[in-house]
Amino acid sequence: MKLVAVVVLLVTLLQQGRGNSLDSCQGRCGYGTDSSFTCQCNQYCERYNDCCSDYEAICKAGSTSCKGRCGEKYNSQNKCHCNSKCSQYNNCCSDYADLCDSKGSGSGMITDAEIKALSETLYVLDSNKASASELIVEPQALVPDSETGSQSDLSPRLLFRYLNENVLFARPTYAALLALLDNYNRMTGQTEDFSPQQLAEQDTFLTETMSNTELGRELFAFLYTKGVYPSENAFLQDLKMMWFGLYSRNNNKMDSSGFEHIFAGEIKGGKVSGFHNWIQFYLLEKRERLNYYSHSFDGPWTSYPDVLGMQFMWDGYYKQVGSAIIGCSPEFDFALYSLCYIARPGKQCRLSLGGKELLIQTYTWNNSSYGDGKKFIGSAFPSTPRN
């Protein structure tokens, strides 16, 4: 009798296990009708009243998520996809990198969740950022996106009302950045030619920001553990080429670099190109070479760093939206852009600062390369999610 009871119990358990697998839409959303299953998970099951009990939760409510869908076959009925080719076709669900792909959509096995966690760490480690007593900003006029091209000066006062230069500019990373900002010819189409001193200033900036700060060392440690760089020297050398390597934006002249474009700003086609650094903005405004007009968005942060999307005129050349992270240290600015370009080249990079999301869009320069085919930074700039 005991033997019979055991056999009956095993059969029952097997039937329950089989029944569970046949009664679920897990991994089956959008597939055609299959008579070997006890219920179906496609658009026709509602018509024929044979949907699985979890069809609504997994296939409809979860149609924009990869939860329970990782590795599924392509189906044109799905709003977004969760297979290995979705990155190639740019149709992945927004949580694909977190839930399905350990490599994310970039290099070095970096997921979106890891990027957000690291950016929060860097945010905490930014000990050189400006405090409320060291920097006072007055954004004044806020304009809608539709009016950013109007070139109307709606802000009579300076954007940067006060900056304690004696404190901030005496810090090594600020001093290293200041030494670089006057090394560039802002007009594209004119060859950049650096002296030995100016080349040395590039090395000093990399050393001060990435090797001599806890924030920079944290970025390297993360990238090292992810297998992106085998050593600190390899990390610094790649950053030097990625950021300071020259390429041509105009007239086949070696006239530009990622650093010049993003930190110093350029003039191309009669308008301002790049220019996403708050310290450069402050310096030019102080020298009366830059006139602040308005801003089109302000980040949700109530302390520094914050994010502004600014409209301004630079010596007669207009910038429709020049976004920048305001009040951060040079190493924080440089680290966030570097992280996003390394992890999400040519893509949108989602960061988290103090629990609030920051987006950085990066662009690769595809017309030339360095090393073994690596791409220079074309551009990168911050924005905040719109409601």
Side-chain angles (χ1 to χ4, degrees):
M1 291 295 293
K2 290 183 179 181
L3 179 60
V4 172
V6 170
V7 171
V8 170
L9 177 61
L10 288 173
V11 170
T12 300
L13 291 173
L14 286 171
Q15 288 177 336
Q16 288 177 345
R18 178 177 172 81
N20 288 338
S21 67
L22 298 181
D23 293 335
S24 173
C25 284
Q26 196 78 20
R28 296 174 53 210
C29 295
Y31 291 173
T33 300
D34 189 336
S35 59
S36 66
F37 288 89
T38 59
C39 56
Q40 307 302 323
C41 305
N42 53 54
Q43 60 181 338
Y44 303 107
C45 71
E46 295 180 272
R47 181 189 305 174
Y48 294 106
N49 199 30
D50 61 353
C51 298
C52 296
S53 59
D54 57 5
Y55 170 74
E56 189 77 21
I58 293 181
C59 299
K60 296 191 72 178
S63 63
T64 58
S65 171
C66 282
K67 186 175 182 180
R69 298 173 54 202
C70 296
E72 69 179 11
K73 296 178 181 178
Y74 173 79
N75 189 293
S76 60
Q77 296 175 15
N78 294 337
K79 295 180 180 179
C80 59
H81 305 278
C82 307
N83 54 57
S84 59
K85 292 186 177 181
C86 69
S87 296
Q88 177 183 343
Y89 292 100
N90 197 30
N91 57 12
C92 298
C93 296
S94 60
D95 55 4
Y96 171 74
D98 279 340
L99 298 180
C100 305
D101 184 8
S102 63
K103 293 184 179 181
S105 58
S107 60
M109 307 274 295
I110 302 172
T111 67
D112 286 353
E114 289 173 324
I115 292 175
K116 287 186 175 182
L118 177 60
S119 60
E120 285 287 4
T121 299
L122 299 179
Y123 178 75
V124 171
L125 291 177
D126 190 14
S127 59
N128 282 329
K129 66 184 177 183
S131 67
S133 64
E134 294 165 341
L135 173 62
I136 300 175
V137 176
E138 191 174 0
Q140 301 168 74
L142 174 65
V143 299
D145 291 344
S146 60
E147 296 181 15
T148 58
S150 66
Q151 300 191 28
S152 301
D153 185 358
L154 303 175
S155 301
R157 296 177 297 281
L158 298 177
L159 172 62
F160 289 95
R161 198 169 84 189
Y162 172 75
L163 179 70
N164 192 332
E165 293 186 20
N166 292 333
V167 171
L168 291 178
F169 287 0
R171 295 172 181 171
T173 56
Y174 285 81
L177 175 63
L178 293 175
L180 285 175
L181 289 176
D182 62 359
N183 290 349
Y184 295 95
N185 184 334
R186 65 178 183 168
M187 304 302 295
T188 59
Q190 299 183 24
T191 301
E192 296 288 357
D193 186 18
F194 301 119
S195 68
Q197 174 61 33
Q198 290 172 331
L199 292 173
E201 289 169 354
Q202 296 174 4
D203 292 327
T204 299
F205 178 79
L206 289 168
T207 300
E208 292 294 350
T209 57
M210 294 293 100
S211 296
N212 293 350
T213 65
E214 188 177 359
L215 187 156
R217 292 191 294 269
E218 182 70 21
L219 174 62
F220 165 67
F222 172 80
L223 295 173
Y224 175 79
T225 60
K226 303 305 293 184
V228 180
Y229 296 107
S231 66
E232 183 182 14
N233 183 63
F235 169 59
L236 295 176
Q237 288 302 310
D238 191 47
L239 289 182
K240 183 173 183 178
M241 289 303 301
M242 181 192 304
W243 278 99
F244 296 103
L246 292 174
Y247 50 80
S248 176
R249 287 187 187 269
N250 191 17
N251 202 26
N252 294 320
K253 303 292 185 180
M254 302 300 281
D255 60 351
S256 183
S257 68
F259 182 87
E260 178 182 4
H261 183 80
I262 296 168
F263 281 81
E266 299 178 297
I267 304 299
K268 182 180 180 181
K271 60 184 180 181
V272 179
S273 180
F275 200 132
H276 301 289
N277 178 252
W278 74 271
I279 295 173
Q280 174 75 326
F281 193 110
Y282 165 79
L283 293 171
L284 291 170
E285 187 179 49
K286 178 184 176 182
R287 296 167 188 160
E288 299 183 350
R289 294 183 57 195
L290 186 151
N291 185 10
Y292 170 70
Y293 280 7
S294 59
H295 69 287
S296 52
F297 64 84
D298 188 350
W301 297 273
T302 56
S303 61
Y304 301 121
D306 197 0
V307 176
L308 279 177
M310 301 163 288
Q311 292 73 53
F312 58 90
M313 192 73 75
W314 178 17
D315 283 344
Y317 298 97
Y318 187 64
K319 181 67 175 181
Q320 186 167 345
V321 182
S323 59
I325 305 173
I326 307 294
C328 66
S329 69
E331 59 266 34
F332 184 78
D333 230 2
F334 193 68
L336 288 194
Y337 289 137
S338 297
L339 168 63
C340 283
Y341 188 74
I342 292 166
R344 300 290 184 268
K347 299 179 182 293
Q348 196 175 76
C349 178
R350 295 182 176 271
L351 306 174
S352 180
L353 308 180
K356 298 178 177 64
E357 189 172 65
L358 171 68
L359 305 180
I360 289 182
Q361 175 68 53
T362 70
Y363 291 95
T364 59
W365 184 256
N366 292 317
N367 296 336
S368 55
S369 60
Y370 68 94
D372 55 350
K374 291 185 176 182
K375 300 295 185 181
F376 298 105
I377 292 178
S379 187
F381 55 85
S383 64
T384 54
R386 303 299 181 92
N387 293 328

